[in-house]
Amino acid sequence: MQKFVEQYPELKTFQGNVSKHVAVMVEMNRKVKEEKLMAVSEAEQNLACDHDHSKAITEIMRLLGDSSVTFVRKVCMASLYHLRYEKHRNEMSTVRSVLKEQAKTIEEKRMARFSDEIVKYAGASVRGGDLYRNRGFLSMVKNAFSGLSEIENVYTRYKPLLSSVLDSLLKNKLGMNDYPFMDAVGQGRNMDKVFVYVIGGTTYSEAALVSEMNKASGASGPQKNL
């Protein structure tokens, strides 16, 4: 009895923590189901990783017409579609029209313009690098067969462009046109540290990527700093 009394406060604390975690998980599960987040996530992964326009536009139009999907998610999907298939002007116009029709508030009307603005900011004509790994024949072949090496989780297929950039850098194969050196001193030499600086900031997925690469290389490889 004395031991139980001594441990009771700790037990109550543990019970409270468990209840909080359960409540959070229940709320997250409700949110995922109500807003069709699994279907939205799969569509976004397909837009980022596949090059199948027919499938993409069918998925996009279906989800744009689903009232359960929030307007913010629809804008995100539309923006990904615009970046990937910006040459398909007719379909882009259709997607844009659907967003404008569904925009009710001033904020939503402002957000509806984002898919056009992102093409101006990061479209094929202004961005550097091979974002979708489809600029050259070898890049397209490598991208096509990369998914055949292992069974992928459809919700975690996307890898940041930074993955291929760092891989090329460590192999001394980084393209000089997109990533020029200030001088040729460091080119071709082994490196101890790599500092990655991105104007405008980085994403959580890029931070996770760098952390995983550092763990994989351990003390034997260069330290990557983001």
Side-chain angles (χ1 to χ4, degrees), residues 177-206:
N177 290 332
D178 291 322
Y179 303 95
F181 291 89
M182 290 182 64
D183 53 52
V185 175
Q187 190 176 9
R189 292 188 177 185
N190 293 329
M191 57 199 80
D192 297 321
K193 292 184 179 181
V194 175
F195 292 90
V196 179
Y197 181 80
V198 181
I199 297 175
T202 59
T203 64
Y204 287 116
S205 60
E206 289 169 334

Side-chain angles (χ1 to χ4, degrees), residues 92-103:
M92 284 175 62
S93 178
T94 301
V95 171
R96 190 183 308 117
S97 297
V98 172
L99 285 179
K100 289 181 178 179
E101 288 176 3
Q102 294 185 6

Side-chain angles (χ1 to χ4, degrees), residues 71 75 103 105-115 117:
F71 191 78
V75 170
T105 66
I106 296 177
E107 180 66 14
E108 287 180 347
K109 291 178 181 179
R110 185 188 66 82
M111 290 171 58
R113 298 194 297 268
F114 182 75
S115 56
E117 294 300 322

